[in-house]
Amino acid sequence: MEQLNKIALITGGSRGLGKNAAIHLAKKGINVIITYQSKEAEANETVGILKEMGVNAAALQLDVAKSDTFDRFLSDTASLLKAEFNVTKLDYLVNNAGIGIHTPFAETTEDQFDTLVKIQFKGPFFLTQKALPLLNDGGGIINISSGLARFSLPGYATYAAMKGAMETLTKYQAKELGSRGIRVNIIAPGAIETDFGGGAVRDNADLNAVIASQTALGRVGLPDDIGGVVAFLCTEEARWINGQRIEASGGMFL
């Protein structure tokens, strides 16, 4: 627990992969601020779990689709850091919040496209930009991609394109923020059993079996397979990993 003075901000940290990452960060003694869009009760429950693990934790409301709220959110974050954590800056930012829209390319509407741009690309782009003054030199940024940026499954053209944009952005962020000692990496999960996308991977037995059959390790991923990777990238052991796409898919579609 040598990192008790470190603080990570995770967007979408009240459930799913974000919650799991928060728990893994807490295991490493890193304090956590999570954001939630609407499910405050879930967020508070997660905060309670983190505090029981011996770290400090808090939750703030944030809709990553509304970039015009970021200035206020970061002002609230700065106030929270002083009041609850007795510091002025963050060490790590994890851009985890996101949604999935499954629609064939030929049927994708402009509204669907714009929604995914706001949440999967514009949101993390400008939240990270505006959070830079709150981020300690020597800290880190973790973005989230998807295996779908490497392989193609019908219905995810827009979603995967946004993730491809995030992968390119990650390299530019790493290059431009390197002078501050800030590392920027992106994790690309394979199919994971969560409520993401309506929980199809978790709840549809046939889909689950097909994915497992196409994965070298013979099963579908679990949140625990990803949260530990996020936490690792927020440690001193990962200090020389920078500008990298790290796929955690169990060897899906090799």
Side-chain angles (χ1 to χ4, degrees), residues 39 42 183 223 244:
K39 300 193 176 181
E42 282 188 7
R183 298 178 299 106
Q244 299 304 303

Side-chain angles (χ1 to χ4, degrees), residues 21-78:
I23 289 171
H24 277 276
L25 284 163
K27 288 179 181 178
K28 293 186 178 297
I30 299 173
N31 301 308
V32 182
I33 299 172
I34 62 172
T35 77
Y36 62 93
Q37 181 182 351
S38 59
K39 300 193 176 181
E40 184 176 7
E42 282 188 7
N44 290 335
E45 181 182 335
T46 300
V47 167
I49 292 170
L50 298 172
K51 287 185 173 181
E52 286 176 7
M53 295 175 68
V55 300
N56 200 357
L60 287 172
Q61 195 278 332
L62 173 68
D63 185 345
V64 295
K66 297 179 179 177
S67 54
D68 59 347
T69 68
F70 290 172
D71 287 334
R72 189 192 74 231
F73 167 75
L74 290 167
S75 176
D76 291 344
T77 302

Side-chain angles (χ1 to χ4, degrees), residues 125-145:
F125 185 107
F126 286 103
L127 182 64
T128 302
Q129 181 196 78
K130 290 175 178 291
L132 290 177
L134 274 183
L135 199 61
N136 273 319
D137 290 356
I141 298 164
I142 294 96
N143 296 319
I144 304 295
S145 181

Side-chain angles (χ1 to χ4, degrees), residues 80-215:
L80 180 68
L81 287 169
K82 292 177 184 177
E84 298 293 329
F85 298 87
N86 199 32
V87 297
T88 58
K89 292 191 176 183
L90 299 161
D91 297 284
Y92 306 106
L93 171 62
V94 183
N95 286 306
N96 167 76
I99 65 164
I101 296 177
H102 183 270
T103 309
F105 166 72
E107 298 170 19
T108 300
T109 66
E110 284 196 42
D111 282 346
Q112 290 173 320
F113 182 93
D114 290 344
T115 295
L116 283 169
V117 169
K118 288 176 185 176
I119 294 174
Q120 303 289 8
F121 186 57
K122 183 179 180 180
F125 185 107
F126 286 103
L127 182 64
T128 302
Q129 181 196 78
K130 290 175 178 291
L132 290 177
L134 274 183
L135 199 61
N136 273 319
D137 290 356
I141 298 164
I142 294 96
N143 296 319
I144 304 295
S145 181
S146 168
L148 290 161
R150 175 176 64 85
F151 50 78
S152 303
L153 292 176
Y156 292 104
T158 309
Y159 174 83
M162 296 306 118
K163 294 304 190 183
M166 285 302 301
E167 291 186 9
T168 298
L169 176 64
T170 295
K171 289 186 277 189
Y172 276 84
Q173 289 172 327
K175 189 82 165 181
E176 295 189 20
L177 300 176
S179 61
R180 291 184 54 189
I182 295 173
R183 298 178 299 106
V184 190
N185 294 289
I186 189 160
I187 299 170
I192 305 290
E193 290 187 10
T194 68
D195 57 7
F196 185 83
V201 172
R202 179 191 62 201
D203 302 332
N204 184 323
D206 291 338
L207 176 62
N208 193 294
V210 168
I211 293 170
S213 74
Q214 296 296 326
T215 302

